[in-house]
Amino acid sequence: MTNVVKGLFVAEGTSDEPLARIVEELFRARGMDLRLTSPPFAQLPRVPKDVKSRVAAGVRLMQQQVDLVVVHRDADNVGKRQKTTRDR
């Protein structure tokens, strides 16, 4: 594993961060060295909750190019239509 894949992990809260380690392990099991970073959104005044805004803010906070973006969204209490509409 010589090539490091730099990734951005965007989730709804810090309780989701252990999922980033699981994703890294899945990549490692396939011979890829993935390093996911969870951006410190608290450093910004206010980041909207939509995926596009959170990814853009995360990339700005990382101050470097990323190879992969992993987005985890909790949607336990909403239907498919609401999930799809929310993330457009």
Side-chain angles (χ1 to χ4, degrees), residues 66-83:
V66 297
D67 303 307
L68 177 71
V69 176
V70 176
V71 177
H72 169 70
R73 299 292 299 228
D74 289 329
D76 302 331
N77 298 319
V78 298
K80 182 178 179 181
R81 177 172 284 176
Q82 288 172 303
K83 291 177 198 177

Side-chain angles (χ1 to χ4, degrees), residues 11-82:
E12 292 183 348
T14 56
S15 64
D16 297 320
E17 287 183 15
L19 294 172
R21 307 296 75 85
I22 293 169
V23 173
E24 288 173 337
E25 285 299 320
L26 290 170
F27 273 73
R28 196 166 292 116
R30 286 155 183 82
M32 299 172 72
D33 189 7
L34 173 63
R35 307 274 172 89
L36 289 174
T37 301
S38 298
F41 289 115
Q43 291 181 2
L44 297 176
R46 184 184 178 315
V47 178
K49 295 289 186 182
D50 65 283
V51 172
K52 184 177 180 180
S53 296
R54 291 181 68 78
V55 168
V59 170
R60 275 196 316 274
L61 285 167
M62 287 185 64
Q63 298 180 347
Q64 63 179 326
Q65 183 177 349
V66 297
D67 303 307
L68 177 71
V69 176
V70 176
V71 177
H72 169 70
R73 299 292 299 228
D74 289 329
D76 302 331
N77 298 319
V78 298
K80 182 178 179 181
R81 177 172 284 176
Q82 288 172 303

